[in-house]
Coordinates of all heavy atoms in Angstrom, one line a residue:
V125 N -63.3 -25.0 -49.6 CA -62.6 -24.8 -48.3 C -62.7 -26.1 -47.5 O -63.8 -26.6 -47.2 CB -63.2 -23.7 -47.5 CG1 -62.5 -23.5 -46.1 CG2 -63.2 -22.4 -48.3
L126 N -61.6 -26.8 -47.3 CA -61.6 -28.1 -46.7 C -62.4 -28.2 -45.4 O -63.2 -29.1 -45.1 CB -60.2 -28.6 -46.5 CG -60.0 -30.0 -45.8 CD1 -60.7 -31.1 -46.6 CD2 -58.5 -30.3 -45.7
E127 N -62.2 -27.2 -44.5 CA -62.8 -27.3 -43.2 C -64.3 -27.1 -43.3 O -65.1 -27.7 -42.5 CB -62.3 -26.2 -42.2 CG -60.9 -26.5 -41.7 CD -60.8 -27.9 -41.1 OE1 -61.6 -28.2 -40.3 OE2 -59.9 -28.6 -41.5
Q128 N -64.8 -26.3 -44.3 CA -66.2 -26.2 -44.5 C -66.8 -27.5 -45.0 O -67.9 -27.9 -44.7 CB -66.5 -25.0 -45.4 CG -66.3 -23.7 -44.7 CD -66.9 -22.5 -45.5 OE1 -68.0 -22.7 -46.0 NE2 -66.2 -21.4 -45.5
T129 N -66.0 -28.2 -45.9 CA -66.5 -29.5 -46.4 C -66.6 -30.5 -45.3 O -67.6 -31.3 -45.2 CB -65.5 -30.0 -47.5 OG1 -65.4 -29.0 -48.5 CG2 -66.0 -31.3 -48.1
R130 N -65.6 -30.5 -44.4 CA -65.7 -31.4 -43.2 C -66.9 -31.1 -42.4 O -67.6 -32.0 -41.9 CB -64.4 -31.3 -42.4 CG -63.1 -31.8 -43.1 CD -61.9 -31.6 -42.2 NE -61.9 -32.4 -41.1 CZ -61.1 -33.4 -40.8 NH1 -60.1 -33.7 -41.7 NH2 -61.2 -34.1 -39.7
D131 N -67.1 -29.8 -42.1 CA -68.3 -29.4 -41.3 C -69.6 -29.8 -42.0 O -70.6 -30.2 -41.3 CB -68.3 -27.9 -41.1 CG -69.4 -27.5 -40.2 OD1 -69.5 -27.8 -39.1 OD2 -70.3 -26.8 -40.8
L132 N -69.6 -29.7 -43.3 CA -70.8 -30.1 -44.1 C -71.2 -31.6 -43.8 O -72.3 -32.0 -43.6 CB -70.7 -29.9 -45.6 CG -71.8 -30.3 -46.5 CD1 -73.1 -29.5 -46.1 CD2 -71.5 -30.1 -47.9
A133 N -70.1 -32.4 -43.8 CA -70.4 -33.9 -43.5 C -71.0 -34.0 -42.1 O -71.9 -34.8 -41.9 CB -69.1 -34.6 -43.6
S134 N -70.5 -33.2 -41.2 CA -71.1 -33.3 -39.8 C -72.6 -32.9 -39.8 O -73.4 -33.5 -39.1 CB -70.3 -32.5 -38.8 OG -69.0 -32.9 -38.7
Q135 N -72.9 -31.8 -40.6 CA -74.2 -31.3 -40.7 C -75.1 -32.4 -41.2 O -76.3 -32.6 -40.8 CB -74.3 -30.1 -41.5 CG -73.6 -28.8 -41.0 CD -73.8 -27.7 -42.0 OE1 -74.9 -27.3 -42.3 NE2 -72.7 -27.1 -42.5
V136 N -74.7 -33.1 -42.3 CA -75.5 -34.1 -42.9 C -75.7 -35.3 -41.9 O -76.8 -35.8 -41.8 CB -74.8 -34.6 -44.2 CG1 -75.5 -35.9 -44.8 CG2 -74.7 -33.5 -45.3
N137 N -74.6 -35.7 -41.3 CA -74.7 -36.8 -40.3 C -75.7 -36.5 -39.2 O -76.4 -37.4 -38.7 CB -73.4 -37.2 -39.8 CG -72.5 -37.9 -40.8 OD1 -73.0 -38.6 -41.7 ND2 -71.2 -37.8 -40.6
A138 N -75.8 -35.3 -38.8 CA -76.7 -34.9 -37.7 C -78.2 -35.0 -38.1 O -79.0 -35.1 -37.3 CB -76.4 -33.4 -37.3
L139 N -78.4 -35.1 -39.4 CA -79.8 -35.2 -39.9 C -80.2 -36.7 -40.0 O -81.4 -37.0 -40.3 CB -79.9 -34.6 -41.3 CG -79.8 -33.0 -41.3 CD1 -79.8 -32.5 -42.7 CD2 -80.9 -32.4 -40.5
G140 N -79.3 -37.6 -39.8 CA -79.7 -39.0 -39.8 C -79.2 -39.7 -41.1 O -78.6 -39.2 -42.0
Q141 N -79.4 -41.0 -41.1 CA -79.0 -41.9 -42.2 C -79.5 -41.5 -43.5 O -80.7 -41.3 -43.7 CB -79.3 -43.4 -41.9 CG -78.9 -44.4 -42.9 CD -77.4 -44.5 -43.0 OE1 -76.7 -44.6 -42.0 NE2 -76.8 -44.5 -44.2
L142 N -78.7 -41.5 -44.5 CA -79.1 -41.2 -45.9 C -79.3 -42.5 -46.7 O -78.7 -43.5 -46.4 CB -78.0 -40.4 -46.6 CG -77.7 -39.0 -46.1 CD1 -76.5 -38.4 -46.8 CD2 -78.9 -38.1 -46.3
D143 N -80.1 -42.5 -47.7 CA -80.2 -43.5 -48.7 C -79.2 -43.3 -49.9 O -78.7 -44.3 -50.4 CB -81.6 -43.7 -49.2 CG -82.5 -44.1 -48.1 OD1 -82.4 -45.3 -47.6 OD2 -83.4 -43.3 -47.7
A144 N -79.0 -42.1 -50.2 CA -78.2 -41.8 -51.4 C -77.5 -40.4 -51.3 O -78.1 -39.5 -50.7 CB -79.0 -41.9 -52.7
V145 N -76.4 -40.2 -51.9 CA -75.7 -38.9 -52.1 C -75.5 -38.8 -53.6 O -74.9 -39.7 -54.2 CB -74.4 -38.8 -51.3 CG1 -73.7 -37.5 -51.6 CG2 -74.6 -39.0 -49.8
I146 N -75.9 -37.6 -54.1 CA -75.5 -37.2 -55.5 C -74.5 -36.1 -55.4 O -74.7 -35.0 -55.0 CB -76.7 -36.7 -56.3 CG1 -77.8 -37.8 -56.3 CG2 -76.3 -36.3 -57.7 CD1 -79.1 -37.4 -57.0
H147 N -73.2 -36.5 -55.8 CA -72.1 -35.5 -55.7 C -72.2 -34.7 -57.0 O -71.5 -35.0 -58.0 CB -70.8 -36.2 -55.6 CG -70.6 -36.9 -54.2 ND1 -70.3 -36.2 -53.1 CD2 -70.8 -38.2 -53.9 CE1 -70.2 -37.0 -52.1 NE2 -70.5 -38.3 -52.5
N148 N -73.0 -33.7 -57.0 CA -73.3 -32.9 -58.2 C -72.4 -31.6 -58.4 O -72.1 -31.2 -59.5 CB -74.7 -32.5 -58.2 CG -75.1 -31.5 -59.2 OD1 -75.3 -31.8 -60.4 ND2 -75.1 -30.2 -58.8
A149 N -72.0 -31.0 -57.3 CA -71.3 -29.7 -57.3 C -70.1 -29.8 -58.2 O -69.3 -30.8 -58.1 CB -70.9 -29.3 -55.9

């Protein structure tokens, strides 16, 4: 679901800077 994917990005950004993302799904 595109809107849930967009929201997931917002959730991740709210947690702070990442070092890496593994696109596993």
Side-chain angles (χ1 to χ4, degrees):
V125 180
L126 178 59
E127 287 309 311
Q128 291 194 37
T129 303
R130 294 176 67 114
D131 181 67
L132 179 61
S134 296
Q135 293 181 59
V136 172
N137 286 334
L139 294 173
Q141 180 68 46
L142 298 172
D143 294 293
V145 177
I146 300 175
H147 293 283
N148 169 83

